[in-house]
Each structure stands twice: as C-alpha cells, then as structure tokens.
Amino acid sequence: MNQSCKPNEELNREVFSKDPRTSSLRLKLTAVTFMIDAGLVVVALFLAYYLRFETPLAALGVAQEGLGLRDYLGHIAFGSVILCFLFANFNLYEVRNFLSYRRVFRIIGKSCLVWFGLYLALSLILKFNPPISRMYCGIGFMTAMALLLSWRWFNHSVVRRERFARRVRQKAVFVGWSHHCERAMQLLGEGRGHPVDVIGVIAPPGGIFELKPPRAVPVLGRYECRNAVLRETGAEMLLVTDMDLPRKEMLVLAADCEKEMVDFKLVPNCFQILLSGLHLESLSGMPVLGISRLPLHNAINSYLKRAVDIVGAIVGLVVAFPAIAIFGFLIYRESPGPIFYRQQRVGQDGRLFDIIKLRSMKLDAEADGRVGWTIKDDPRRLKVGAFMRAWNIDEVPQFWNVLKGEMSLVGPRPERNELISKFKEEIPHYNARHGIKPGITGWAQVNGLRGDTDLSERVQFDLHYIENWNLFFDFQIMFQTFFKRANAC
C-alpha cells in the first residue's frame, strides 16, 4: 500500500483496529438470544396450560374435562413455532435491535398480538383436536409477554454496557462533511442505544470540505485513498450525503464498498422529510423511489387509532366532567362570561374545525385583533388559567373534538389558519403535519415544546411522530402527558 494512503497515524488505533471477533460475537449473541427466546416461549405456553387447567381458572369458561398435558403438547409446539416465526418475520434479531429496548418491546408486543389472533384462527381452520381454549391463548399471550420482556430487559442491561455495545454497533464513515452530515450524526448518535458509531470522515473529491468536521470526527484520509481507509479502519458502512456527486462517482464508490465488504448507504438529502416512508417499488417493472408508506397510510392502523380515540374520548369525557365543572366555576368567578373558548383551527388535510378549550384568558384577550401564542407570564391570562395550562387541564374539553373525529388523542397540535399561512412559507416541511389528525397531546408537547417555543424544533418532533407512529408510541405519549408538566405559559 502506498505510504501516502495510510490512515492518519495520529488516530486512536484502539477504536479503528479490526476485531475479528466482532462478527462472531454478533452471530453468537443472535443465536443465544434466539434460543433463550424460543425456550421462554415454550415455558410460557406450558405455564399457560398450568394456569388454565390446574388452577381455579379451570372452572371458568367452557369445560374441557379429561384433558391432560399430553393432549396439549401438539398445541404448545405449534404455538411456539408460530411465535418464533413471527419474531423472525418482524426482524427482532437484527443486530441494531439489541441496543434498543424500545424497539424490542414494540416488536415483541406486535408479534404476540398477531400470534394471539393467528393462533386462534388457525386452530379453527385446521380443526385442532382437542379444540384449543381461547382463555389458554389469552393467558399464553400474557405469560409470553411477561417472560420475554423481563428476559430482554436483563439482556438489554448487559448488552448496552459500552464494553459490549461498541462491538455490536456498526462503524460508519462519511464521505465529505456538510450540514446534512451533522444532522445524520446527531440522529445516529441519539441515546445510549444508538446502533452506529461514526468513526471519521474521508475527504471529498478535490479535498475541499463544504463544512469543517468537528473534532469528534477525525479526517481519516484523502478521497483517492478511500479503499485503504475503509480496509485499515475496519469501517462497516460508508455514508454519502452529497447528492451532487456525479453518477459515475457514485457507482465507483458503490463498487469500492463491494470490494471491501462495506455497506454503501446513500442519504438522499433531497428527501429531508418523511424519510421512513421512502422506499423502492416497482411500477410495471420499472424501479421507482418515492415517499408513500407511512404507518397511518395503512387502513388497519388508521382504524386502530380511531378505535382507541373513541374509547379514550368517552372515558376522558366521563372522568373529566368533575374537573370541567370545578374549573368552569373558578373561571366564571374570576372572569364572568363563557367558560368555554372556541377557536377555528386547521385539521387533517387542511380542514377547518372549532377547537373547544376551557377559557384560560380574559374575555378581551384578543381585542386588539392580533393573533399569536401566549407567552410566559402573559398578562392576559387568568390566575386559574396559569394552573390549568401548566397541567393541560384547559385541553380536556377537546375530548369532544376527538369523539367527533376532528382530532385524535395524540398528534401534532392544531394551529390557526392565519398563523399557518405564514408558517408554511417560513418553516420547512411545516404543512406535512397536516397529513394526520391533530391531537390533544403530542410528542412535541411531552418534550416541553408548547406555546412560545422553537417552531422548527416542534415540527421536527411532529414529523418524527408521523414517521414512527404505532399504538405503543401513542400510549407512551399519553402516559407521559399525565406526569410531565408543560411549560407554564
């Protein structure tokens, strides 16, 4: 190898040295985890049999007299195979999932839910003998969730330790450095469970950086020496964010990565929004790259979210009625007049609706005709209004908006049409928030972004929610809403 093409000798060799045991560790970790998962699934279904037929629960439901464990062995084996297959189908054993308990929780929960319905359906279609107990399936769902999530929490606690985590993470190298690289590195390095370590950057063609790399990202070598850099640093992934590179150069980079057995990843910065919906599909045999598959574009997901909204809105209205009555009285006593405040907001697909809130401001709060948010220590705010806004109590009448289908329990906060006409021109991707129903609470709100806060940052949180929606995420946000105060404004 040409001496001029050796990686920077001043770099930390411990970080960049190739470890032949890394791949072996990942394979062993995957194999051991799968075997323990499978064993616990079998144990969970045996435990479900014991709880259903060997405890007082045996007296409930349809009697299945004369059944023994031997009669259920086939059911247990079949159910175990299905659940393990679902784990593999939902990519539970991807290496990156070992560092994120949240992803593991979501996949196990989804797999067990699908298993419950599929197991019952197949038992009817295949006419199991003896017929399988629905209560047994329900208990099996709960025992499997409990055992698997407990074990995976222990496993996560061990693997996330830096000693193991650094050997599980993929080593990534950027070509050139720009604002897009900074954003990508920020996303890749979020939390202790991040799956990728950015070990450095290769100088772009011509050697001129668009932006100077930070000290934490060393320059590994010149562009002409990229193969040597990839080989000597043990890089496993090459990230390219510069879409202005000639097509021929892109093909050369991809070919070089293939030679060095490195993953070639193109970060399409022209799609700076909704990237989780970016996918390759075939139209009449022609490959097309585009944005379409977001979670709530799926009809089943939309119906599930709506079902949760209806149940939650009914329960919310019933539970919140005493609070509405008490605070309505306090509002009227401090500022006689209507206790409810209606204001036109923009909902899904730009449709207008009247949002309902408990009035937290004086009656003449907008007498000057100016439209805007409340600010900290706003002089227009009622005394009781400060408390209500701090604890989101002014939002509870919006359960009626949810029941009517104008809002959801969780989603981006709706804004006024007068403000949106300005924001959509100033804030990149602002109107993408209107692809789903607005919510009473949202990911931005539970992270403290409410009222007079950075709108660009709020939009980023909203887009993250839209891209990564699932029911567990909704429940997490609702749970956090109860225990995390919003900015008192």
Side-chain angles (χ1 to χ4, degrees):
M1 182 179 66
N2 190 316
Q3 185 71 19
S4 63
C5 281
K6 286 187 178 180
N8 191 334
E9 297 294 343
E10 298 178 359
L11 302 178
N12 185 338
R13 306 306 300 172
E14 180 182 354
V15 174
F16 297 138
S17 60
K18 286 190 175 183
D19 186 351
R21 297 173 298 173
T22 297
S23 297
S24 176
L25 172 68
R26 293 171 181 169
L27 289 173
K28 288 178 181 178
L29 179 62
T30 302
V32 170
T33 303
F34 174 77
M35 288 189 291
I36 295 178
D37 283 352
L40 287 177
V41 167
V42 174
V43 170
L45 296 186
F46 270 109
L47 180 59
Y49 170 85
Y50 172 79
L51 293 173
R52 174 66 183 95
F53 298 108
E54 303 294 337
T55 67
L57 291 176
L60 301 177
V62 179
Q64 290 185 304
E65 297 179 358
L67 288 181
L69 179 59
R70 181 174 297 180
D71 299 301
Y72 255 69
L73 288 178
H75 297 348
I76 292 172
F78 186 67
S80 299
V81 170
I82 291 176
L83 189 49
C84 291
F85 169 79
L86 289 171
F87 288 156
N89 181 66
F90 290 126
N91 301 317
L92 178 61
Y93 300 103
E94 287 187 0
V95 173
R96 66 190 183 99
N97 289 333
F98 289 109
L99 294 171
S100 174
Y101 185 73
R102 179 178 168 182
R103 281 198 297 266
V104 168
F105 184 98
R106 184 168 63 246
I107 294 173
I108 290 178
K110 179 165 65 174
S111 300
C112 289
L113 280 172
V114 173
W115 173 85
F116 178 76
L118 184 62
Y119 194 31
L120 281 175
L122 289 175
S123 71
L124 294 174
I125 295 170
L126 301 177
K127 298 181 179 179
F128 284 3
N129 186 25
I132 200 163
S133 165
R134 286 172 292 181
M135 188 179 295
Y136 166 78
C137 292
I139 296 172
F141 166 80
M142 292 185 286
T143 54
M145 285 282 289
L147 291 179
L148 287 165
L149 291 177
S150 299
W151 136 246
R152 281 307 193 104
W153 175 255
F154 170 77
N155 182 55
H156 175 71
S157 300
V158 174
V159 174
R160 73 181 302 191
R161 294 178 181 175
E162 194 59 27
R163 175 186 172 189
F164 294 100
R166 68 185 179 191
R167 294 170 63 185
V168 173
R169 298 189 190 110
Q170 282 189 291
K171 296 179 182 178
V173 172
F174 279 102
V175 174
W177 194 259
S178 64
H179 293 290
H180 302 302
C181 296
E182 286 188 340
R183 175 62 178 159
M185 186 174 176
Q186 180 184 359
L187 293 173
L188 291 172
E190 283 184 345
R192 292 178 59 187
H194 61 277
V196 175
D197 276 335
V198 177
I199 61 174
V201 57
I202 296 173
I208 301 176
F209 286 91
E210 177 184 330
L211 194 69
K212 184 178 179 181
R215 292 177 61 87
V217 185
V219 178
L220 303 176
R222 295 183 291 113
Y223 182 78
E224 294 76 10
C225 304
R226 57 189 177 276
N227 288 44
V229 170
L230 293 175
R231 187 165 50 251
E232 294 299 325
T233 59
E236 299 169 273
M237 181 189 302
L238 183 72
L239 293 165
V240 179
T241 63
D242 186 2
M243 298 294 289
D244 294 327
L245 281 178
R247 176 177 177 272
K248 183 179 179 180
E249 202 64 56
M250 292 282 196
L251 294 175
V252 170
L253 279 173
D256 288 343
C257 287
E258 182 180 358
K259 293 174 187 175
E260 303 300 334
M261 293 183 291
V262 172
D263 292 339
F264 175 75
K265 304 291 184 182
L266 183 63
V267 183
N269 54 55
C270 56
F271 294 101
Q272 294 179 39
I273 176 176
L274 307 181
L275 289 182
S276 67
L278 186 65
H279 73 288
L280 187 68
E281 61 180 331
S282 176
L283 294 179
S284 300
M286 177 179 65
V288 177
L289 186 67
I291 298 171
S292 64
R293 295 177 187 170
L294 292 171
L296 286 172
H297 286 169
N298 183 290
I300 299 299
N301 288 342
S302 296
Y303 290 138
L304 283 173
K305 185 171 176 62
R306 180 59 183 152
V308 172
D309 284 344
I310 291 172
V311 174
I314 293 173
V315 173
L317 286 171
V318 172
V319 173
F321 180 78
I324 292 174
I326 293 170
F327 283 94
F329 170 76
L330 295 175
I331 292 168
Y332 188 83
R333 190 178 68 171
E334 184 177 348
S335 174
I339 65 170
F340 294 111
Y341 174 63
R342 294 175 181 269
Q343 189 179 70
Q344 193 175 76
R345 298 290 177 97
V346 178
Q348 186 176 21
D349 299 326
R351 290 190 292 268
L352 300 177
F353 70 99
D354 287 332
I355 196 171
I356 306 172
K357 303 175 71 172
L358 283 170
R359 181 165 60 89
S360 60
M361 310 284 280
K362 299 174 183 178
L363 286 175
D364 59 350
E366 293 184 347
D368 57 3
R370 290 189 302 167
V371 177
W373 291 316
T374 55
I375 59 175
K376 188 175 182 180
D377 301 324
D378 197 317
R380 302 171 298 167
R381 189 175 52 192
L382 300 174
K383 293 178 181 178
V384 68
F387 179 84
M388 289 194 301
R389 290 184 61 82
W391 294 97
N392 300 311
I393 296 170
D394 60 322
E395 312 283 3
V396 292
Q398 291 166 39
F399 285 120
W400 179 248
N401 292 113
V402 174
L403 195 59
K404 291 170 64 180
E406 297 166 335
M407 293 179 64
S408 177
L409 294 174
V410 180
R413 285 298 297 164
E415 297 293 351
R416 305 189 201 183
N417 195 36
E418 308 93 294
L419 296 176
I420 288 174
S421 61
K422 176 184 177 182
F423 294 154
K424 70 180 182 181
E425 301 296 337
E426 298 178 351
I427 308 298
H429 322 312
Y430 183 84
N431 258 355
R433 303 163 72 251
H434 299 119
I436 65 172
K437 291 179 183 178
I440 295 178
T441 186
W443 186 230
Q445 283 67 46
V446 298
N447 282 280
L449 297 170
R450 180 188 180 191
D452 189 22
T453 52
D454 186 345
L455 186 57
S456 297
E457 190 174 2
R458 288 168 59 181
V459 170
Q460 292 302 317
F461 274 89
D462 288 337
L463 296 181
H464 175 83
Y465 170 77
I466 294 171
E467 292 183 277
N468 297 281
W469 178 89
N470 60 74
L471 279 181
F472 291 106
F473 198 7
D474 271 2
F475 292 140
Q476 173 191 337
I477 292 171
M478 286 187 273
F479 179 81
Q480 287 183 241
T481 301
F482 285 107
F483 295 98
K484 189 166 186 176
R485 292 181 57 180
N487 288 340
C489 61

